Amino acid sequence: MEPDWEGPLGEAYARATTYLQSLPVRRVGAETTADELRARLGGELPKAPTSAVKVVEALATNVEGGLVATGSGRFFGFVIGGATPASLAADWLATAWDQNAGLYAAAPAAAVIEEIAAEWLVELFGLPEQTSVGFVTGGQMANFTALAAARHAVLAKAGWDVENDGLIGAPAITVLAGAERHDTVDRALRFLGLGTRCIVPIAVDEQGRMRPDALAAELHKRPTIVCAQAGNVNTGAIDPLDEICAVAKETQAWVHVDGAFGLWKTVSTPIKGLEQADSWSTDAHKWLNVPYDSGLVFTAHPDAHRAAMSVRASYLIHDEGRRDPLDYNPEFSRRARGFAVYAAIRALGRQGIVELVERCCAMAQRFANQLAPYVLNEVTLNQVLVSFGEITPQVVKSVQQEGTAWMSGTTWQGRPAMRISVSNWTTSETDVDRSVEIIRRCVETEQARSTQG
């Protein structure tokens, strides 16, 4: 029997197009409870087949109200970007082609696309020409992969083969990381068997930037990894990478830069000292605005990268003249996420990426200007921290429930704050102004409630 592709895919296309076209006007936050979603979607295990068209129809209908419109120009939570038309379309094709992008032999086009996109990314970020690149799920696995390469390199210098001999009996590794680092660094160290007790927190300034003098005081001749940051998750502040790298290199420490979103800033305004690091991580699903999931890891030392990640087996087909993607990431079988990255860069070009980054920064500054009395940070990137005192958590919740915009909450230097992250390619001045109006209204409402209470 011939499969019916047109029916379910046609229904999915129609539903997806309707959803995407509704983003400028639809409610941003979800409004359906988990119990309601379970009641709609759950039930007994199906006993008999159901037509694919009916499955797609029911799925699209029943998740309505349970979707957060993260692709909206008024979604400002968690540094989540949207998806450009070219990258979304390429991602659909990647799903239809269903390539297993681990080996060149199994997916030649996917492997070559990654190779080309990798070269473009290295050029965009101004990294060393020999830099190796891995396509992973997100910042978590990008940090994991980079730190695995770092673990290999610093232990190899100490005469230890960690891939063959493990960590039992190995020289201790010290990780010097800013006190305001992202939690994915700690989590990666747990995955790598190093544990979080190997971390020595380095003092930061009032914006969360690592202090080079505090770093220098902790550097010694021992296996050491320095974790710097391009884009503090709260303030957007970028560590002084030129000074950090200069200090770290005196003791041959490996410098990793967690640049989940901030790394993209260098496409617009070069980040001084960025190219002097040993590894870097970022997300394409943040400021490049490709669909989830899409993380990127870079190392200036391809041999260490491959040593930490590669595998060889008799049942695999390796062509030494070709790039096997599994040599650069921790996954074996995986989707061909390079197609979306390639399409995004091809469609935007350097100029379009620069404009995207600069527009988001300008919109963040527009937020800061209109909410000036409440702003806590120096707005130098796409992050704006605002606080309304003790009522801040209630204001965040009220804004989310109102539905026009969506921001997340945080705590900054002991104070509750609202975190506004501008990362979407469609965010306009109108989106910002509408969102500010709602924030102000919610602040007034919560202040009145607080007074009455």
Side-chain angles (χ1 to χ4, degrees):
M1 184 177 71
E2 289 292 324
D4 173 19
W5 296 113
E6 188 172 347
L9 290 179
E11 181 67 25
Y13 172 79
R15 297 283 188 148
T17 303
T18 298
Y19 172 80
L20 292 168
Q21 291 174 339
S22 76
L23 286 175
V25 296
R26 76 181 283 128
R27 174 188 174 86
V28 179
E31 55 184 343
T32 304
T33 68
D35 288 341
E36 289 171 334
L37 289 169
R38 287 192 195 96
R40 292 184 202 165
L41 296 161
E44 295 182 356
L45 174 69
K47 294 181 173 62
T50 303
S51 79
V53 173
K54 289 183 177 179
V55 170
V56 173
E57 287 176 345
L59 174 63
T61 299
N62 291 328
V63 300
E64 190 61 39
L67 299 175
V68 176
T70 53
S72 166
R74 286 170 281 105
F75 183 86
F76 304 107
F78 306 123
V79 203
I80 292 176
T84 60
S87 65
L88 179 56
D91 200 53
W92 281 4
L93 286 173
T95 299
W97 292 332
D98 197 23
Q99 300 291 283
N100 184 338
L103 291 170
Y104 173 88
V112 171
I113 279 284
E114 284 192 12
E115 191 172 359
I116 294 168
E119 292 171 358
W120 289 350
L121 288 161
V122 168
E123 182 178 347
L124 275 169
F125 292 136
L127 303 180
E129 188 175 347
Q130 80 279 5
T131 297
S132 55
V133 185
F135 291 71
V136 294
T137 53
Q140 177 66 79
M141 295 316 293
N143 280 338
F144 169 86
T145 305
L147 292 174
R151 182 185 66 174
H152 166 87
V154 298
L155 287 180
K157 285 180 182 176
W160 189 268
D161 183 347
V162 67
E163 281 74 34
N164 285 310
D165 298 330
L167 288 171
I168 298 175
I173 293 176
T174 299
V175 177
L176 305 178
E180 285 290 334
R181 66 191 175 277
H182 196 275
D183 285 343
T184 52
V185 171
D186 297 52
R187 200 162 178 239
L189 294 171
R190 285 165 44 200
F191 294 166
L192 289 165
L194 297 175
T196 56
R197 286 197 180 93
C198 74
I199 300 173
V200 176
I202 303 301
V204 297
D205 67 13
E206 70 281 356
Q207 294 299 311
R209 292 178 288 249
M210 185 191 293
R211 287 173 38 198
D213 61 329
L215 173 65
E218 295 292 344
L219 278 167
H220 305 285
K221 291 283 186 179
R222 59 192 177 198
T224 301
I225 301 169
V226 175
C227 290
Q229 191 168 223
N232 180 282
V233 73
N234 282 307
T235 68
I238 295 174
D239 289 346
L241 299 180
D242 54 340
E243 297 178 61
I244 288 170
C245 289
V247 170
K249 295 304 180 182
E250 292 178 5
T251 59
Q252 296 187 313
W254 177 292
V255 179
H256 171 62
V257 177
D258 177 4
F261 61 96
L263 198 66
W264 294 94
K265 177 64 173 176
T266 201
V267 178
S268 169
T269 306
I271 299 172
K272 193 174 181 182
L274 179 70
E275 76 288 350
Q276 297 170 25
D278 297 287
S279 61
W280 308 262
S281 62
T282 193
D283 285 321
H285 56 230
K286 286 188 169 66
W287 244 349
L288 189 59
N289 278 235
V290 306
Y292 273 84
D293 49 30
S294 186
L296 301 162
V297 58
F298 306 83
T299 74
H301 310 281
D303 290 345
H305 193 167
R306 286 192 299 269
M309 292 291 120
S310 67
V311 65
R312 291 292 181 269
S314 60
Y315 50 84
L316 300 177
I317 300 174
H318 300 286
D319 184 340
E320 295 305 325
R322 299 293 181 181
R323 178 185 184 275
D324 282 327
L326 62 75
D327 286 340
Y328 301 94
N329 68 78
E331 297 164 311
F332 211 116
S333 299
R334 63 180 178 87
R335 69 181 279 106
R337 57 181 64 93
F339 287 119
V341 175
Y342 171 90
I345 299 173
R346 173 69 80 180
L348 289 168
R350 179 188 290 273
Q351 180 180 341
I353 297 172
V354 169
E355 290 174 354
L356 193 164
V357 170
E358 291 182 345
R359 184 166 61 253
C360 287
C361 291
M363 293 304 100
Q365 190 60 59
R366 190 177 183 89
F367 266 114
N369 293 342
Q370 296 189 44
L371 296 170
Y374 309 109
V375 175
L376 301 179
N377 65 315
E378 296 174 8
V379 180
T380 57
L381 209 61
N382 63 331
Q383 301 293 104
V384 186
L385 279 182
V386 292
S387 180
F388 315 103
E390 294 182 358
I391 64 170
T392 301
Q394 288 72 40
V395 173
V396 171
K397 187 175 181 180
S398 295
V399 171
Q400 292 174 352
Q401 291 176 339
E402 194 277 339
T404 297
W406 204 101
M407 291 82 170
S408 51
T410 188
T411 300
W412 175 248
Q413 297 180 345
R415 302 174 65 180
M418 171 186 285
R419 183 163 66 108
I420 302 171
S421 303
V422 188
S423 311
N424 191 291
W425 68 286
T426 67
T427 297
S428 66
E429 293 182 354
T430 300
D431 289 322
V432 173
D433 296 346
R434 287 181 61 193
S435 301
V436 168
E437 180 184 349
I438 295 303
I439 292 171
R440 287 174 173 162
R441 190 185 306 168
C442 289
V443 169
E444 291 173 1
T445 300
E446 294 304 327
Q447 285 175 336
R449 285 178 181 169
S450 176
T451 301
Q452 292 171 0

